[in-house]
């Protein structure tokens, strides 16, 4: 994995949301047909995030399907170009989550990454290399939901939402 090819651009948006704009090395085959999603990538990211938290003696994040649904929709919308890369609509996602999950705090990491084999590992490593993304990953949160979408150009888009349940 060539980290010298990685390009970061941090964007900070409302409610402490943070984003990552990254590029990765190595190619994934071209995608044909509609936008594809990969539940296994989402699970791998969740496992790697919790593995990192365990090394710091932090509690594991529980997986919230309500949060994951919002994260997935946002990842797909970014991948299709329906919304620009970033945190547009974060307040609405937080409001939708609040209908089923009571929380005291909420934040979001987003990323895009193209051309990689070990996509989950790369996404987590890139987030951990960024202080503001690391703060979300290591933050005082109890729940997470993750969305991952691969578009027709072979670019992955990710959204990870963090919340502290009341």
């Amino acid at each position: 994995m060539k980290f010298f090819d990685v390009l970061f651009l941090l964007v900070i948006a409302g409610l402490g949301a943070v984003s990552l704009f990254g590029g990765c090395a190595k190619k994934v085959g071209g995608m044909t047909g509609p936008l594809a999603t990969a539940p296994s990538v989402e699970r791998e990211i969740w496992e790697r995030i919790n593995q990192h938290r365990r090394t710091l003696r932090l509690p594991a994040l529980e997986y919230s399907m309500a949060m994951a649904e919002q994260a997935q929709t946002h990842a797909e919308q970014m991948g299709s170009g329906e919304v620009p890369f970033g945190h547009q609509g974060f307040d609405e996602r937080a409001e939708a989550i609040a209908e089923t999950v009571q929380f005291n705090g909420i934040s979001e990491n987003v990323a895009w990454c193209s051309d990689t084999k070990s996509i989950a590992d790369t996404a987590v490593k890139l987030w951990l290399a960024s202080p503001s993304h690391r703060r979300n990953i290591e933050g005082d949160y109890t729940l997470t939901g993750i969305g991952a979408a691969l578009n027709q150009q072979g670019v992955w888009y990710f959204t990870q939402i963090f919340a502290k349940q009341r």
Side-chain angles (χ1 to χ4, degrees), residues 124-160:
V124 172
K125 284 180 179 179
L126 291 173
W127 276 331
L128 290 173
S130 161
S132 33
H133 294 92
R134 182 183 284 267
R135 272 192 299 277
N136 282 346
I137 290 168
E138 297 174 357
D140 186 22
Y141 297 112
T142 57
L143 300 173
T144 194
I146 302 164
L150 176 64
N151 72 10
Q152 293 178 337
Q153 292 75 38
V155 178
W156 286 92
Y157 288 83
F158 303 98
T159 303
Q160 182 171 18

Side-chain angles (χ1 to χ4, degrees), residues 24-50:
C24 310
K26 306 226 181 190
K27 265 234 190 262
V28 173
M31 194 59 208
T32 58
L35 191 68
T37 61
S40 63
V41 171
E42 297 153 2
R43 185 181 61 250
E44 288 179 43
I45 290 171
W46 177 50
E47 290 169 354
R48 282 174 170 76
I49 295 291
N50 278 333

Side-chain angles (χ1 to χ4, degrees), residues 3 19 29 32 38 42 58 60 68 74 78 84 94-95 109 123 131 134 148 156 164:
F3 284 102
S19 72
T32 58
E42 297 153 2
L58 296 171
H74 185 57
M78 289 188 299
E95 288 173 18
N109 285 352
R134 182 183 284 267
W156 286 92
K164 181 172 183 171

Side-chain angles (χ1 to χ4, degrees), residues 2-158:
K2 297 178 182 176
F3 284 102
F4 61 87
D5 289 336
V6 176
L7 176 63
F8 289 100
L9 171 65
L10 300 176
V11 179
I12 299 176
L15 294 175
V18 187
S19 72
L20 173 71
F21 183 74
C24 310
K26 306 226 181 190
K27 265 234 190 262
V28 173
M31 194 59 208
T32 58
L35 191 68
T37 61
S40 63
V41 171
E42 297 153 2
R43 185 181 61 250
E44 288 179 43
I45 290 171
W46 177 50
E47 290 169 354
R48 282 174 170 76
I49 295 291
N50 278 333
Q51 180 181 28
H52 173 76
R53 288 175 62 89
R54 278 191 299 277
T55 66
L56 300 173
R57 298 192 194 314
L58 296 171
L61 298 170
E62 292 182 41
Y63 203 81
S64 164
M65 288 308 294
M67 292 169 61
E69 288 173 13
Q70 292 298 315
Q72 184 64 37
T73 298
H74 185 57
E76 289 175 1
Q77 289 174 336
M78 289 188 299
S80 69
E82 184 178 334
V83 299
F85 174 78
H87 299 285
Q88 183 175 327
F90 179 70
D91 291 340
E92 290 81 4
R93 285 189 291 287
E95 288 173 18
I97 291 166
E99 291 178 15
T100 57
V101 177
Q102 294 183 345
F103 58 84
N104 291 328
I106 190 165
S107 67
E108 175 179 82
N109 285 352
V110 298
W112 74 263
C113 188
S114 62
D115 306 325
T116 187
K117 257 190 207 174
S118 56
I119 189 67
D121 189 50
T122 300
V124 172
K125 284 180 179 179
L126 291 173
W127 276 331
L128 290 173
S130 161
S132 33
H133 294 92
R134 182 183 284 267
R135 272 192 299 277
N136 282 346
I137 290 168
E138 297 174 357
D140 186 22
Y141 297 112
T142 57
L143 300 173
T144 194
I146 302 164
L150 176 64
N151 72 10
Q152 293 178 337
Q153 292 75 38
V155 178
W156 286 92
Y157 288 83
F158 303 98

